[in-house]
Amino acid sequence: PCAKCGNENMEDRCVRILEVFEKPNVASLRGVVMTCAPPDDRLKPLPPPKARDGKPAPRPRKICYMNPEDPNLGFIWIKPRQETFKRCGLDITRFVLKHEGRKNEIVSVRYQAMSPEILAQLLDNHRRVSVRGVRRREDMQAWAYGTMTGSGPRQPMGGAKGDGYGPYACHSGDTPDDIRALFRHAVDTDVLVEIGESIMPGLRTDLKKMTNIDEVTRMGLYGLTTFTCSNYMSVIHPDNDECRGGCYLCAQLHQSGTNKLWHEWDFVYAGYGLVIETWTNTVW
């Protein structure tokens, strides 16, 4: 424990550990739009695509809104602890899931995770990404506001075998711009993995093992794909990718014009009943 807070209750420590449980019937939340906005100020879904020649018209999309503050959902809210960070210089929360007598760390969040210099560099890299947007799965297309683009080994929707061996076009290395994009991607992944190691010990080793098994280490140390998002949102959905001990890191590089009374851009882990309040410089 930290020398400054080792005698504090777990809740007040700079690195605290909280136990969570899997939510029953979480499948019933799939496709739900979580929002705290009042009904007359909510985003509306995008219209479905038009019917193609010889094909039936798409079925109308079922839209369901829920408020994550609804006490019936029983969500746990995680928010930044300013006094804790001021005292110790850290604000990390780790979550463990107890299963068959064993506790497995599943999710972590760190506020004020990066120095101002590193944060500025990643934000600049973010703004320079110029890869074609990723097509989202059907139940997310209705809310395809904003942009989501990929960098690194190409991972298109569906994950066909062998696709991971081919990088996105901007990483071919054929032009000076391609080469600069390669280095920006390397910086992004290295920084995220190092921060990830601070909140999920063992992440670095797990990722190396995983990418060595899949033989995708041709780009940098880890062969990772990053997805750069702006004004991005999605409905509640499962990610059934096989990561064999790896995990998915998210970083909020910048927020502006955000109505936190409505918890805009917060992140819901519905399966564990968690809501992470995100701000600029949050990693989870």
Side-chain angles (χ1 to χ4, degrees):
C2 169
K4 295 181 180 179
C5 65
N7 294 325
E8 301 286 345
N9 294 326
M10 178 60 73
E11 175 67 26
D12 298 321
R13 294 181 184 179
C14 60
V15 181
R16 60 177 176 173
I17 300 174
L18 302 181
E19 188 172 340
V20 295
F21 304 90
E22 288 186 293
K23 299 286 285 186
N25 303 320
V26 69
S28 64
L29 297 178
R30 180 168 182 170
V32 168
V33 180
M34 290 288 177
T35 178
C36 297
D40 61 350
D41 209 348
R42 292 171 177 169
L43 282 175
K44 299 297 188 291
L46 299 172
K50 295 181 180 180
R52 297 181 180 179
D53 293 341
K55 293 186 177 181
R59 292 178 297 175
R61 288 167 168 151
K62 294 181 180 180
I63 305 302
C64 177
Y65 297 94
M66 286 188 180
N67 189 329
E69 292 184 313
D70 184 344
N72 293 319
L73 291 174
F75 286 164
I76 299 171
W77 288 76
I78 305 301
K79 301 181 180 182
R81 300 172 295 158
Q82 301 294 345
E83 291 302 316
T84 300
F85 185 84
K86 184 178 179 180
R87 179 190 64 210
C88 302
L90 280 177
D91 182 4
I92 296 174
T93 302
R94 294 174 178 163
F95 302 96
V96 296
L97 178 68
K98 192 172 183 179
H99 180 67
E100 296 181 350
R102 298 181 61 185
K103 291 184 177 181
N104 299 313
E105 191 167 336
I106 52 168
V107 180
S108 297
V109 57
R110 180 174 177 177
Y111 292 101
Q112 302 189 58
M114 293 173 268
S115 69
E117 295 78 15
I118 294 296
L119 179 64
Q121 184 173 15
L122 262 63
L123 182 58
D124 183 62
N125 292 349
H126 172 106
R127 289 169 172 162
R128 291 172 182 265
V129 170
S130 58
V131 187
R132 182 167 57 89
V134 175
R135 177 172 172 78
R136 306 172 202 175
R137 66 188 76 172
E138 180 58 32
D139 55 355
M140 297 164 66
Q141 281 295 106
W143 305 96
Y145 292 95
T147 61
M148 178 181 183
T149 60
S151 298
R154 191 170 64 93
Q155 296 292 344
M157 183 175 61
K161 290 184 177 181
D163 277 333
Y165 292 103
Y168 287 95
C170 75
H171 298 312
S172 63
D174 293 337
T175 68
D177 283 343
D178 291 349
I179 295 171
R180 282 189 283 268
L182 280 168
F183 279 99
R184 288 196 297 270
H185 175 73
V187 168
D188 289 348
T189 56
D190 281 357
V191 168
L192 288 175
V193 170
E194 289 304 311
I195 295 173
E197 181 73 17
S198 75
I199 62 175
M200 295 282 288
L203 172 67
R204 191 189 299 116
T205 300
D206 286 345
L207 287 175
K208 281 190 175 182
K209 288 180 179 178
M210 180 179 68
T211 53
N212 280 330
I213 291 171
D214 290 335
E215 299 179 352
V216 292
T217 54
R218 57 184 289 177
M219 293 185 65
L221 292 173
Y222 304 100
L224 302 179
T225 302
T226 58
F227 294 97
T228 301
C229 304
S230 297
N231 295 329
Y232 173 83
M233 64 168 290
S234 74
V235 296
I236 299 298
H237 63 278
D239 280 321
N240 298 319
D241 304 295
E242 183 181 359
C243 58
R244 287 194 292 274
C247 72
Y248 307 97
L249 290 170
C250 301
Q252 184 69 271
L253 300 179
H254 180 70
Q255 272 191 26
S256 62
T258 305
N259 185 344
K260 278 304 182 182
L261 293 177
W262 295 352
H263 298 286
E264 291 178 337
W265 309 120
D266 289 352
F267 191 91
V268 177
Y269 277 109
Y272 303 115
L274 296 173
V275 182
I276 294 176
E277 186 175 281
T278 71
W279 295 83
T280 296
N281 204 6
T282 303
V283 175
W284 67 98

